[in-house]
Amino acid sequence: MKKIFIINPVSAKAKLDYAVENIKKQHYFNENEDEILFSEYAGHVTELAATHPDCEIYSVGGDGTFLEAVNGVKDTGAPVCFLPMGSGNDFIRSVSTANDFDSVLKGLENPTRKVLDLGLIDGGCFANIASVGFDAEIVKNAQKFKDIPVLRKFSYILSIFYTLFTYKGIPLKMTVDGKVIEGDFLLVAVANGQYYGGGIKIAPTAVVDDGLFDVIYAPAMSRLEVLTILPGLLNGSHLNHKKVVRIQAKNVTIESDTEFLRNTDGDLKPTTRTDISIKPNGLTIILPAESL
């Protein structure tokens, strides 16, 4: 099957030439058939993936690039691969022990395929996590620091503490498989994968092919209480906190009279309602030999 490598130059940055050279070096790259394409604007990866329905799609970039690629194959069923070259590269952590560009590229000498669940959201789709609340605000505020070169590397960490002192929670009505839950929330994460935010293990028990989301939520709380939860996010022990709730579900609706940000792998959208459902066996991914 023909291979289409779609590279996001924004994610690759200084490693763009390195990525192209190393892809072409692989014995499984057929110079007479396979193609290397470059995205030029937001949404372009989706367009490029959708126009190659009978090919294998290789997404070269971060989680946002992979999100676009997954949306591009949603209707074609084409298999898609995540070649990580972004800042977070979170989704690959849930499906492979090889989770950097070089390891994945080498591991594709003996590839395997895995059929996963697919998250459907407001007409689009996702493979990893959709969320509302604290983390969405962190993603938004991180941009303040990314625009300052010396702070760019630490933008997410800095944004966590900035958001801690500015975010107060949001009133939401959640309907989870028919059960209504209302209140002021710190965060809600509807997870197929386990990680977001550059390695934060928000949903440590999520399984990408069990037909269910892990829904993690917590009510609005004091800054001190939030600080007691933050360290546990690195290893998943936050689920032991008395105010953090984990349930499993197939359908989740989140709505509010107040506009909120919906975060899907770094893609932010202001809304007052989002509808999320799971499509079992909805996505085929190509993985390196070192897969989970």
Side-chain angles (χ1 to χ4, degrees):
M1 184 179 284
K2 182 177 180 178
K3 300 177 182 64
I4 305 295
F5 293 81
I6 306 175
I7 301 178
N8 182 345
V10 176
S11 295
K13 295 180 181 176
K15 292 186 176 181
L16 181 60
D17 291 340
Y18 177 87
V20 173
E21 290 172 7
N22 281 274
I23 289 169
K24 289 183 175 180
K25 285 180 182 178
Q26 304 307 310
H27 71 83
Y28 53 80
F29 181 82
N30 184 339
E31 289 190 6
N32 297 319
E33 180 178 271
D34 300 337
E35 294 185 58
I36 297 177
L37 307 176
F38 301 92
S39 63
E40 299 176 2
Y41 48 83
H44 197 199
V45 174
T46 297
E47 295 173 12
L48 292 172
T51 54
H52 294 85
D54 300 317
C55 303
E56 294 179 345
I57 304 299
Y58 292 76
S59 168
V60 187
D63 290 292
T65 307
F66 186 66
L67 173 69
E68 287 197 20
V70 168
N71 276 271
V73 305
K74 175 171 67 76
D75 297 322
T76 69
V80 62
C81 178
F82 189 160
L83 274 163
M85 197 162 263
S87 56
N89 304 321
D90 285 302
F91 175 73
I92 193 75
R93 302 170 196 259
S94 295
V95 292
S96 176
T97 55
N99 47 45
D100 63 82
F101 177 80
D102 292 319
S103 298
V104 173
L105 194 65
K106 181 179 179 181
L108 291 173
E109 293 176 0
N110 296 293
T112 184
R113 291 193 181 189
K114 188 177 180 71
V115 180
L116 311 182
D117 300 328
L118 184 65
L120 305 179
I121 182 165
D122 302 336
C125 63
F126 65 98
N128 196 32
I129 297 174
S131 58
V132 168
F134 189 66
D135 73 295
E137 294 295 323
I138 290 171
V139 172
K140 181 190 74 173
N141 291 330
Q143 194 58 51
K144 303 177 190 291
F145 303 103
K146 286 182 179 179
D147 292 338
I148 304 172
V150 295
L151 299 179
R152 185 176 295 123
K153 184 177 179 180
F154 309 101
S155 60
Y156 199 87
I157 297 296
L158 291 170
S159 183
I160 288 175
F161 290 97
Y162 177 89
T163 305
L164 179 64
F165 288 97
T166 58
Y167 180 71
K168 298 180 180 179
I170 188 169
L172 298 173
K173 175 184 176 182
M174 282 199 304
T175 305
V176 183
D177 282 350
K179 179 183 178 181
V180 176
I181 305 168
E182 294 187 78
D184 290 344
F185 288 83
L186 174 70
L187 63 86
V188 179
V190 182
N192 191 38
Q194 296 182 1
Y195 299 86
Y196 68 6
I200 291 176
K201 203 170 187 179
I202 186 66
T205 60
V207 179
V208 293
D209 58 359
D210 64 349
L212 294 166
F213 290 123
D214 270 25
V215 182
I216 313 297
Y217 67 90
M221 57 185 75
S222 69
R223 295 187 184 101
L224 182 60
E225 286 179 303
V226 176
L227 281 171
T228 65
I229 292 175
L230 289 179
L233 290 171
L234 297 177
N235 59 18
S237 63
H238 62 287
L239 292 188
N240 297 324
H241 193 282
K242 62 182 180 180
K243 288 191 175 182
V244 177
V245 180
R246 169 197 173 263
I247 54 178
Q248 291 187 298
K250 295 181 178 180
N251 299 282
V252 180
T253 296
I254 304 171
E255 53 193 321
S256 179
D257 293 332
T258 303
E259 186 176 82
F260 57 87
L261 279 178
R262 186 203 76 191
N263 175 32
T264 311
D265 295 335
D267 179 42
L268 297 176
K269 178 184 176 182
T271 186
T272 57
R273 178 186 172 112
T274 187
D275 295 287
I276 308 169
S277 61
I278 200 159
K279 181 181 180 182
N281 306 319
L283 177 67
T284 301
I285 62 169
I286 303 165
L287 291 169
E290 300 86 352
S291 59
L292 299 174

